[in-house]
Structure formats: structure tokens, C-alpha cells
């Protein structure tokens, strides 16, 4: 007999996939999501060119995409 604590945890299929922002459509979706998150009047939105250059120089510009391919979250770091 096996105790619950000894069982292997079950993993559900991921609801999102995380990957680098790969094309201009991804970059534009990231900008649009920033506007939705922070408001249209936010002056600190990271533009597509900066996201792209950051990736080229070793930074991160990642997206979390739902099963239908919609961007639902981002991570940016330099």
C-alpha cells in the first residue's frame, strides 16, 4: 500500500507556453499588452526596438502564450 505522500505528483498539461518573442507580431503584442496592463497614458512602455535589441545583447524578452497563441504575459530584462 502506498501513502499519498509517496505517490508521484501528477502534472497537468501546461495552459501556457513560454518562449522568446520571435517576430514583429510578438513584439507588437507585447507592446499592446503593456498598454492594457499599465494604461494607454503610461510613458514607460518598452517599444519593439528595445525589446529586440535587448535580446540581441543577452537580455530577455519572453512571452507567455495561451493554447490559442495569444500573448497573456511578458517578462523583460536587460
Amino acid at each position: 500500500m502506498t501513502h499519498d505522500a509517496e505517490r508521484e505528483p501528477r502534472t497537468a498539461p501546461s495552459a501556457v507556453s513560454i518562449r522568446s518573442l520571435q517576430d514583429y507580431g510578438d513584439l507588437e503584442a507585447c507592446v499592446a499588452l503593456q498598454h492594457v496592463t499599465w494604461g494607454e497614458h503610461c510613458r514607460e512602455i518598452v517599444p519593439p526596438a528595445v525589446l529586440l535589441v535587448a535580446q540581441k545583447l543577452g537580455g530577455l524578452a519572453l512571452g507567455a502564450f495561451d493554447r490559442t497563441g495569444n500573448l497573456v504575459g511578458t517578462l523583460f530584462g536587460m
Side-chain angles (χ1 to χ4, degrees):
M1 180 175 203
T2 307
H3 292 76
D4 286 335
E6 295 172 351
R7 290 185 186 158
E8 299 250 348
R10 294 183 189 176
T11 57
S14 179
V16 298
S17 61
I18 298 173
R19 63 169 171 79
S20 294
L21 301 176
Q22 298 174 345
D23 57 31
Y24 200 73
D26 287 352
L27 299 171
E28 284 291 313
C30 180
V31 171
L33 186 57
Q34 291 177 74
H35 282 294
V36 168
T37 303
W38 303 116
E40 288 297 323
H41 297 7
C42 180
R43 296 177 54 128
E44 302 299 323
I45 300 297
V46 181
V50 173
L51 294 166
L52 183 61
V53 169
Q55 286 180 321
K56 301 275 186 203
L57 298 176
L60 294 173
L62 304 177
F65 295 85
D66 68 13
R67 290 184 178 143
T68 64
N70 292 316
L71 184 68
V72 295
T74 64
L75 173 88
F76 173 68
M78 295 180 81

